Coordinates of all heavy atoms in Angstrom, one line a residue:
V21 N -48.7 12.1 -51.5 CA -48.1 11.3 -50.4 C -46.7 11.7 -50.1 O -46.3 11.6 -48.9 CB -48.2 9.8 -50.7 CG1 -49.7 9.4 -50.8 CG2 -47.5 9.5 -52.1
A22 N -45.9 12.2 -51.0 CA -44.6 12.6 -50.8 C -44.5 13.8 -49.8 O -43.7 13.9 -48.9 CB -43.8 12.9 -52.1
L23 N -45.4 14.8 -50.1 CA -45.5 16.0 -49.2 C -45.9 15.6 -47.8 O -45.5 16.1 -46.8 CB -46.4 17.0 -49.8 CG -45.9 17.9 -50.9 CD1 -46.9 18.9 -51.3 CD2 -44.5 18.6 -50.5
I24 N -46.9 14.7 -47.8 CA -47.4 14.2 -46.5 C -46.3 13.5 -45.7 O -46.1 13.8 -44.5 CB -48.6 13.2 -46.6 CG1 -49.8 14.0 -47.1 CG2 -49.0 12.5 -45.3 CD1 -51.0 13.1 -47.5
A25 N -45.6 12.6 -46.4 CA -44.5 11.9 -45.7 C -43.4 12.9 -45.2 O -42.9 12.7 -44.1 CB -43.9 10.9 -46.6
E26 N -43.1 13.9 -46.0 CA -42.1 14.8 -45.6 C -42.6 15.6 -44.4 O -41.9 15.9 -43.4 CB -41.7 15.8 -46.7 CG -40.6 16.7 -46.4 CD -40.3 17.8 -47.5 OE1 -41.0 17.8 -48.5 OE2 -39.4 18.6 -47.3
G27 N -43.9 16.1 -44.5 CA -44.4 16.9 -43.4 C -44.5 16.1 -42.1 O -44.1 16.6 -41.0
V28 N -44.9 14.8 -42.1 CA -44.9 14.0 -40.9 C -43.5 13.8 -40.3 O -43.3 13.9 -39.1 CB -45.6 12.6 -41.2 CG1 -45.4 11.7 -40.1 CG2 -47.1 12.8 -41.5
E29 N -42.6 13.5 -41.2 CA -41.2 13.3 -40.7 C -40.6 14.6 -40.0 O -40.0 14.5 -38.9 CB -40.3 13.0 -41.9 CG -38.8 12.7 -41.5 CD -37.9 12.3 -42.7 OE1 -38.5 12.3 -43.8 OE2 -36.7 12.1 -42.4
I30 N -40.9 15.8 -40.6 CA -40.4 17.0 -40.0 C -41.1 17.3 -38.7 O -40.5 17.7 -37.7 CB -40.7 18.2 -41.0 CG1 -39.8 18.1 -42.2 CG2 -40.4 19.5 -40.3 CD1 -40.1 19.0 -43.3
L31 N -42.4 17.0 -38.6 CA -43.2 17.2 -37.4 C -42.7 16.3 -36.3 O -42.6 16.7 -35.2 CB -44.7 16.9 -37.7 CG -45.6 16.9 -36.5 CD1 -45.6 18.3 -35.8 CD2 -47.0 16.5 -36.9
Q32 N -42.5 15.0 -36.6 CA -42.1 14.0 -35.6 C -40.7 14.5 -35.0 O -40.5 14.4 -33.7 CB -42.0 12.6 -36.2 CG -43.3 12.0 -36.4 CD -43.2 10.7 -37.2 OE1 -42.2 10.4 -37.8 NE2 -44.3 9.9 -37.1
A33 N -39.8 15.0 -35.8 CA -38.5 15.4 -35.3 C -38.7 16.7 -34.4 O -38.0 16.8 -33.4 CB -37.6 15.8 -36.5
A34 N -39.6 17.6 -34.8 CA -39.9 18.8 -33.9 C -40.5 18.4 -32.6 O -40.1 18.9 -31.6 CB -40.8 19.7 -34.7
L35 N -41.5 17.5 -32.6 CA -42.2 17.1 -31.4 C -41.3 16.4 -30.4 O -41.4 16.5 -29.2 CB -43.4 16.2 -31.7 CG -44.6 16.9 -32.4 CD1 -45.6 15.8 -32.8 CD2 -45.2 18.0 -31.6
A36 N -40.3 15.7 -31.0 CA -39.3 14.9 -30.2 C -38.5 15.8 -29.3 O -37.9 15.4 -28.3 CB -38.4 14.1 -31.0
R37 N -38.4 17.1 -29.6 CA -37.6 18.1 -28.9 C -38.4 18.6 -27.7 O -37.8 19.3 -26.8 CB -37.2 19.2 -29.8 CG -36.4 18.7 -31.0 CD -36.0 19.9 -31.9 NE -35.1 20.8 -31.3 CZ -34.6 21.9 -32.0 NH1 -34.9 22.0 -33.2 NH2 -33.8 22.7 -31.3
D38 N -39.7 18.2 -27.5 CA -40.5 18.6 -26.3 C -40.5 20.1 -26.1 O -40.4 20.5 -24.9 CB -39.9 17.8 -25.1 CG -41.0 17.7 -24.0 OD1 -42.2 17.8 -24.3 OD2 -40.6 17.6 -22.8
R39 N -40.7 20.8 -27.1 CA -40.8 22.3 -27.0 C -42.1 22.7 -27.9 O -42.0 23.3 -28.9 CB -39.6 23.1 -27.5 CG -38.4 22.9 -26.5 CD -37.1 23.4 -27.2 NE -37.3 24.8 -27.6 CZ -36.4 25.4 -28.4 NH1 -35.4 24.8 -28.9 NH2 -36.6 26.7 -28.8
L40 N -43.2 22.2 -27.4 CA -44.5 22.3 -28.2 C -44.9 23.8 -28.4 O -44.8 24.6 -27.4 CB -45.6 21.6 -27.5 CG -46.9 21.6 -28.2 CD1 -46.8 20.8 -29.5 CD2 -48.0 20.9 -27.3
G41 N -45.2 24.1 -29.6 CA -45.8 25.4 -29.9 C -47.0 25.3 -30.8 O -47.4 24.1 -31.2
E42 N -47.7 26.4 -31.1 CA -49.0 26.3 -31.8 C -48.8 25.7 -33.2 O -49.7 25.0 -33.6 CB -49.6 27.7 -31.9 CG -48.9 28.7 -32.6 CD -49.7 30.0 -32.8 OE1 -50.8 29.9 -33.5 OE2 -49.3 31.0 -32.3
F43 N -47.8 26.0 -33.9 CA -47.7 25.4 -35.3 C -47.4 23.9 -35.2 O -47.9 23.2 -36.1 CB -46.5 26.1 -36.0 CG -46.8 27.6 -36.3 CD1 -46.0 28.6 -35.8 CD2 -48.0 28.0 -36.9 CE1 -46.2 29.9 -36.0 CE2 -48.3 29.3 -37.1 CZ -47.4 30.3 -36.7
Q44 N -46.7 23.4 -34.3 CA -46.5 22.0 -34.1 C -47.9 21.3 -33.8 O -48.2 20.3 -34.4 CB -45.5 21.7 -33.0 CG -44.1 22.1 -33.3 CD -43.2 22.0 -32.1 OE1 -42.9 20.9 -31.7 NE2 -42.9 23.1 -31.5
A45 N -48.7 22.0 -32.9 CA -50.0 21.4 -32.6 C -50.9 21.4 -33.8 O -51.6 20.4 -34.0 CB -50.6 22.2 -31.4
Q46 N -50.9 22.5 -34.6 CA -51.7 22.5 -35.8 C -51.3 21.5 -36.8 O -52.1 20.8 -37.4 CB -51.7 23.9 -36.4 CG -52.4 25.0 -35.7 CD -52.5 26.2 -36.5 OE1 -53.0 26.2 -37.6 NE2 -52.1 27.3 -36.0
A47 N -50.0 21.3 -36.9 CA -49.4 20.3 -37.8 C -49.8 18.9 -37.4 O -50.1 18.0 -38.2 CB -47.9 20.4 -37.9
A48 N -49.9 18.6 -36.0 CA -50.3 17.3 -35.5 C -51.8 17.0 -35.9 O -52.1 15.9 -36.3 CB -50.1 17.3 -34.0
I49 N -52.6 18.0 -35.9 CA -54.0 17.9 -36.3 C -54.1 17.6 -37.8 O -54.8 16.6 -38.2 CB -54.8 19.1 -36.0 CG1 -54.9 19.3 -34.4 CG2 -56.2 19.1 -36.6 CD1 -55.5 20.7 -34.0
A50 N -53.3 18.3 -38.6 CA -53.3 18.0 -40.0 C -52.8 16.6 -40.3 O -53.2 16.0 -41.2 CB -52.4 19.1 -40.7
A51 N -51.8 16.2 -39.5 CA -51.2 14.9 -39.8 C -52.2 13.8 -39.5 O -52.3 12.7 -40.1 CB -50.0 14.7 -38.9
L52 N -53.1 14.0 -38.4 CA -54.1 13.0 -38.1 C -55.1 12.9 -39.2 O -55.6 11.8 -39.6 CB -54.8 13.4 -36.8 CG -53.9 13.1 -35.5 CD1 -54.6 13.8 -34.3 CD2 -53.8 11.6 -35.3
H53 N -55.5 14.0 -39.8 CA -56.4 14.0 -41.0 C -55.7 13.3 -42.2 O -56.3 12.4 -42.8 CB -56.7 15.4 -41.4 CG -57.8 16.1 -40.6 ND1 -59.0 15.6 -40.4 CD2 -57.7 17.2 -39.8 CE1 -59.7 16.4 -39.6 NE2 -58.9 17.4 -39.2
A54 N -54.4 13.5 -42.4 CA -53.7 12.9 -43.5 C -53.5 11.4 -43.3 O -53.5 10.6 -44.3 CB -52.3 13.5 -43.7

């Protein structure tokens, strides 16, 4: 859960910049599974 929380926090900060790329999109899918 610590890695999941860290990953989600990093992803949310990246998505907030509105410069979507493939790794952010893949991370969003992984976050929905988590």
Side-chain angles (χ1 to χ4, degrees):
V21 293
L23 283 183
I24 291 172
E26 185 187 4
V28 169
E29 182 180 0
I30 292 170
L31 172 63
Q32 289 174 339
L35 291 174
R37 301 176 66 175
D38 199 24
R39 290 168 56 193
L40 184 64
E42 63 171 296
F43 295 122
Q44 294 169 71
Q46 287 192 55
I49 293 169
L52 286 167
H53 283 298

